[in-house]
Amino acid sequence: MDKQFQKIRDDFPILKQRINDEPLVYLDSAATSQKPQAVIDSITNYYQTINANTHRSVYTLGQRATDEYELARKKVQRFIKAKSSKEVIFTKGTTDSLNLVASTYGEKNIQAGDEIVITYMEHHSNLIPWQQLALRKNAVLKYIELTSDGQLDMDDARSKITDKTKIVAVAHVSNVLGVTNDVQELAQITHSHNAVIVIDGAQAAPHQPIDVQKIDADFYAFSGHKMLSPMGIGVLYGKKKLLEKMPPYQFGGEMINSVDKFDSTWSELPWKFEAGTQNVSGAIGLSKAIDYLNNLGMENIAEYEQELVDYALPKLLAIRGLTVYGPQDSTVHNGVISLNLNNLHPHDVATAFDMDGVAVRAGHHCAQPLMKYLGVVATIRASFYFYNTKADVDKLLQAIADTKEFFRV
C-alpha cells in the first residue's frame, strides 16, 4: 500500500518544492490539507467555462452552474451517507456550521437551567458557540473529563449527560490528542435523555468513512479545506426533521419563498439556510475532492494513515526528552501527534524544524482550555495525511535530532 500512496504525491504540486533548500515535508494537514491538481483545475475550469450565479438565471451558463452546485451537494450526501441531499447545507466551514446550529436550534431550544455538555478536548469552534449560548440563556455548560491517556472518559460522559441535557457537542476526532471518540455510543447516551448530539467532524471526515445515519448524528459539521478542497466551503449535515423546525440562520437573497412589506416566508431545505450568493467554485472543488478521495477509498486512507502512526509513534516515544500527548498505544492514536521537546518553546522547535523543511504547527491549536487541562501553554503538532510517507516520518525524526543537538538538550 505504501507504494500506491507514494505515487499520489505527484498529484500535489506544492509538495514538489523545497523549503530552506530542503524538500518540503508537510505535516500540518490538521490545519489545512494540500490540494491535488485535479481540484485546482476544477476551480480554474469553473471560472473559465461556467462562472454564473446559481438558482437565479435561465440562461445556459446559469443552469450549468446550478447543476454543478447541486451535483456537489448530492456527492456530499453520498459521501457521508445522509438520507437526503436536503439534509446537506453548504457553509463557510466547520466554524460556520457549528455557529449555525447554536444560533438557530440552540437559540430556539435552550432555556435557563438547561444543560449543554461538551468535552475538554474541544476546538474553540465547538466550544465558544456553546459557551456563549449558555451565557445568553443562563444555561449550564458541563465538561466531560478525559482519562489519564487523553481519551474521553465515557463513564464521566454517562454521569454528565442527564435528563437536563439538551445538547451534547463533541469532536469526532481531537485536533490535539490523536484520539477518535466513540460518537455512536455518545449519540445513544444523548438520545436516551432526549437530547441532540452535534458532532464536529473537521478532523474525521478527511480521514475515515463517515456514516451519519449509522452514527445517528443529529448534526455533523466539517470543512472542505481539510479534505483537499478550497478554503471557504464547508458542510452542515442535519436531520431533516430538526432542520425543518429551525429558523433561518441569515436573511437575504435566495433563502426566501416570498417577501412582503412587513413579513416573509422561507424557502424549503436546504436553501432556507443558504442566504445570498454561495461559494459555487468552492462547492465544485469539494465535489472534485470527494471524487479524488472516493477513488482512493476512505477505508484505504484510514488504513494507510494508521500504518504511518504505527511506524512513527514508537520511534517518537523512544526519544529522550520528548513528551507525546494522548494515547501511547498506536492502535488508539490517529495521525495527529502533539509533542513537546524538553523545556524548549514550541515556536522555537517549529522554527528549527522549518530549517529542515519540516512544516508543523506550534501553539495552543485553538484549544486553550485543553492546554490548561494538560498543564502546558502550547505544543508542537505533527499531523499526517495520505500524501505523507514513512520517509516524511524519518525526516521528522531527523529534525528532532537536529533540534536537540542545536539546543544541546
Side-chain angles (χ1 to χ4, degrees):
M1 186 177 292
D2 202 354
K3 290 182 180 177
Q4 176 195 352
F5 281 88
Q6 284 266 9
K7 297 177 182 175
I8 288 166
R9 294 173 68 86
D10 292 338
D11 294 337
F12 293 81
I14 200 169
L15 297 179
K16 298 174 183 176
Q17 67 180 301
R18 299 177 72 85
I19 299 292
N20 295 320
D21 295 327
E22 297 284 346
L24 170 62
V25 175
Y26 186 76
L27 299 179
D28 196 21
S29 293
T32 195
S33 69
Q34 298 302 343
K35 322 304 178 193
Q37 189 65 53
V39 169
I40 298 169
D41 289 345
S42 73
I43 299 165
T44 303
N45 182 65
Y46 166 74
Y47 283 112
Q48 287 180 336
T49 62
I50 59 172
N51 178 44
N53 218 322
T54 57
H55 299 296
R56 291 165 170 80
S57 309
V58 296
Y59 53 82
T60 301
L61 280 187
Q63 190 57 53
R64 286 176 181 170
T66 300
D67 290 346
E68 289 294 320
Y69 183 72
E70 293 304 328
L71 176 62
R73 195 188 311 275
K74 290 184 181 298
K75 284 187 184 178
V76 172
Q77 175 205 345
R78 292 192 287 270
F79 186 70
I80 62 174
K81 297 181 173 53
K83 188 178 296 183
S84 166
S85 62
K86 293 185 176 182
E87 297 176 318
V88 175
I89 299 162
F90 285 125
T91 65
K92 291 187 291 186
T94 305
T95 300
D96 193 33
S97 297
L98 295 168
N99 274 277
L100 190 163
V101 180
S103 299
T104 54
Y105 183 89
E107 285 288 342
K108 186 176 181 180
N109 291 283
I110 294 295
Q111 309 297 330
D114 287 344
E115 294 180 354
I116 302 170
V117 178
I118 63 174
T119 85
Y120 274 103
M121 66 174 70
E122 298 311 314
H123 183 275
H124 293 167
S125 295
N126 200 32
L127 189 160
I128 300 173
W130 311 115
Q131 175 195 75
Q132 294 302 305
L133 177 66
L135 288 170
R136 287 196 301 274
K137 296 287 189 171
N138 288 320
V140 178
L141 188 64
K142 297 166 70 175
Y143 285 78
I144 300 172
E145 302 282 336
L146 309 181
T147 62
S148 59
D149 67 349
Q151 299 191 68
L152 199 64
D153 187 333
M154 294 301 288
D155 290 335
D156 193 56
R158 293 184 191 89
S159 70
K160 293 281 174 58
I161 301 170
T162 71
D163 287 345
K164 291 183 178 180
T165 304
K166 300 301 178 188
I167 295 173
V168 175
V170 60
H172 195 166
V173 169
S174 167
N175 75 321
V176 174
L177 295 170
V179 296
T180 302
N181 293 321
D182 189 343
V183 289
Q184 188 169 344
E185 184 174 353
L186 285 166
Q188 290 173 355
I189 297 168
T190 301
H191 293 149
S192 71
H193 294 282
N194 296 316
V196 300
I197 186 165
V198 184
I199 301 172
D200 172 358
Q203 300 293 343
H207 302 282
Q208 59 182 274
I210 302 297
D211 186 335
V212 291
Q213 293 189 74
K214 183 179 179 183
I215 294 170
D216 201 11
D218 295 299
F219 299 99
Y220 196 97
F222 59 98
S223 296
H225 74 93
K226 295 182 194 294
M227 48 182 284
L228 311 183
S229 67
M231 294 181 177
I233 186 74
V235 171
L236 173 67
Y237 159 82
K239 286 180 178 173
K240 187 180 175 185
K241 63 181 181 181
L242 297 174
L243 294 173
E244 285 178 335
K245 294 177 182 176
M246 290 159 51
Y249 178 41
Q250 295 175 325
F251 301 94
E254 288 305 307
M255 51 75 64
I256 52 90
N257 181 33
S258 66
V259 178
D260 209 338
K261 284 176 66 177
F262 298 107
D263 204 357
S264 301
T265 59
W266 317 128
S267 185
E268 61 180 301
L269 292 175
W271 304 289
K272 178 174 75 172
F273 294 104
E274 295 180 0
T277 295
Q278 296 300 299
N279 184 355
V280 183
S281 65
I284 290 172
L286 177 59
S287 172
K288 185 59 69 173
I290 288 174
D291 289 344
Y292 191 96
L293 292 169
N294 283 337
N295 188 46
L296 290 176
M298 294 306 295
E299 293 87 356
N300 293 334
I301 290 171
E303 185 179 343
Y304 175 70
E305 289 180 14
Q306 189 60 52
E307 284 183 25
L308 291 179
V309 177
D310 291 341
Y311 180 75
L313 196 59
K315 292 177 171 58
L316 291 168
L317 291 169
I319 296 174
R320 185 173 55 84
L322 193 76
T323 302
V324 178
Y325 299 93
Q328 312 289 284
D329 177 355
S330 68
T331 61
V332 289
H333 200 124
N334 59 50
V336 175
I337 303 179
S338 290
L339 316 162
N340 267 323
L341 183 57
N342 290 89
N343 294 319
L344 297 177
H345 195 285
H347 285 178
D348 293 333
V349 176
T351 301
F353 286 7
D354 187 53
M355 298 306 296
D356 281 347
V358 177
V360 295
R361 177 81 175 267
H364 53 62
H365 314 299
C366 296
Q368 287 183 312
L370 177 58
M371 292 295 114
K372 292 176 182 174
Y373 192 92
L374 297 173
V376 298
V377 295
T379 72
I380 307 143
R381 183 184 69 189
S383 52
F384 299 103
Y385 207 9
F386 60 82
Y387 42 63
N388 292 121
T389 65
K390 290 177 181 175
D392 291 343
V393 175
D394 291 338
K395 196 69 188 294
L396 171 65
L397 297 169
Q398 184 59 53
I400 294 171
D402 292 345
T403 304
K404 283 171 63 75
E405 182 178 354
F406 181 82
F407 286 103
R408 299 180 184 277
V409 294

